[in-house]
Amino acid sequence: DQQVKQNSPSLSVQEGRISILNCDYTNSMFDYFLWYKKYPAEGPTFLISISSIKDKNEDGRFTVFLNKSAKHLSLHIVPSQPGDSAVYFCAASAINNAGNMLTFGGGTRLMVKP
Amino acid sequence: KAGVTQTPRYLIKTRGQQVTLSCSPISGHRSVSWYQQTPGQGLQFLFEYFSETQRNKGNFPGRFSGRQFSNSRSEMNVSTLELGDSALYLCASLGQGVYNEQFFGPGTRLTVL
């Protein structure tokens, strides 16, 4: 049972345009969401996060939107740059006294064309 | 601050052997988590250690085990290796706050022949 899903395995966008990456989750206990960027043969790099008490968080060119009722989040990258080409993973966690584990989606490969 | 370090970066083993991977978290971080990345299953949580105690465990067989030392360094061990254990093994460390992102190391690429 996949609790976090990224339904688009790949996305191609022109440089300067907006990239929108989507993520859906099923576990209503999740209350913290993160986006990571990953290059081949490297570990994921943290990009941006959002807690369930918010519906939007911005950091420079990156904005994450959370729709709790739809159990959906999205990452917007504006403007997209060729260096943004990578695999993007969304992840979710349920913060509890027993610690912290991340459940990842399957990833979306973003290609930004010059 | 130095990031999360993992050794070795690459490893080749044969079926039936065992392997030990090492992870040093960011200085001051007490939580270390391990993840397995494979093409078919994506990134899957193995276990988390905090103050030398396993605090969370994913859905992996008992052949996968780990431990954490008093200096927060962690090791994971896989016994009786199978071909399907070939994967990128990632370690992540977590800061002290409740809502802190996990920082990942570069991973250890394990190939089982």
Side-chain angles (χ1 to χ4, degrees):
Chain A
D1 173 34
Q2 241 185 322
Q3 297 186 64
V4 179
K5 287 185 184 178
Q6 294 176 254
N7 290 317
S8 298
S10 65
L11 175 68
S12 183
V13 168
Q14 205 65 35
E15 181 179 6
R17 306 295 291 269
I18 184 171
S19 295
I20 300 177
L21 297 100
N22 293 303
C23 180
D24 297 294
Y25 63 97
T26 58
N27 188 340
S28 57
M29 297 299 291
F30 288 145
D31 55 7
Y32 191 56
F33 304 89
L34 309 91
W35 284 93
Y36 284 86
K37 174 181 176 179
K38 189 178 184 301
Y39 295 113
E42 292 183 14
T45 301
F46 170 75
L47 277 176
I48 192 169
S49 62
I50 188 168
S51 75
S52 59
I53 61 173
K54 293 185 174 182
D55 54 18
K56 178 182 173 182
N57 189 27
E58 274 183 271
D59 184 1
R61 297 186 297 115
F62 301 93
T63 302
V64 56
F65 296 92
L66 174 63
N67 183 332
K68 280 172 49 182
S69 60
K71 294 190 175 68
H72 177 85
L73 62 154
S74 60
L75 174 68
H76 292 209
I77 306 174
V78 183
S80 301
Q81 300 173 353
D84 296 329
S85 297
V87 178
Y88 288 78
F89 290 94
C90 69
S93 70
I95 307 295
N96 55 43
N97 291 334
N100 183 292
M101 60 171 276
L102 294 177
T103 301
F104 282 87
T108 296
R109 181 176 302 278
L110 173 65
M111 292 162 285
V112 180
K113 299 177 186 175
Chain B
K1 258 189 186 177
V4 178
T5 58
Q6 292 187 246
T7 56
R9 291 293 311 276
Y10 302 93
L11 207 47
I12 299 175
K13 292 285 188 178
T14 55
R15 277 182 300 174
Q17 287 187 309
Q18 74 164 16
V19 68
T20 299
L21 313 181
S22 180
C23 170
S24 292
I26 292 171
S27 177
H29 286 193
R30 293 163 62 192
S31 165
V32 173
S33 294
W34 289 89
Y35 294 83
Q36 181 197 65
Q37 186 186 20
T38 58
Q41 299 295 322
L43 271 154
Q44 292 190 291
F45 173 78
L46 279 155
F47 29 66
E48 180 205 5
Y49 285 86
F50 179 82
S51 292
E52 302 178 65
T53 301
Q54 188 179 87
R55 190 160 69 167
N56 273 308
K57 189 177 189 305
N59 190 24
F60 277 81
R63 300 185 298 107
F64 292 82
S65 63
R67 60 177 174 168
Q68 187 180 33
F69 302 94
S70 59
N71 62 358
S72 294
R73 189 177 70 84
S74 176
E75 288 181 346
M76 70 162 279
N77 185 275
V78 187
S79 62
T80 320
L81 284 166
E82 301 177 359
L83 295 178
D85 296 334
S86 295
L88 181 67
Y89 289 88
L90 293 158
C91 164
S93 75
L94 177 70
Q96 302 271 358
V98 175
Y99 289 118
N100 277 339
E101 61 273 10
Q102 294 187 21
F103 295 92
F104 283 83
T108 294
R109 169 70 63 185
L110 172 65
T111 302
V112 182
L113 303 175

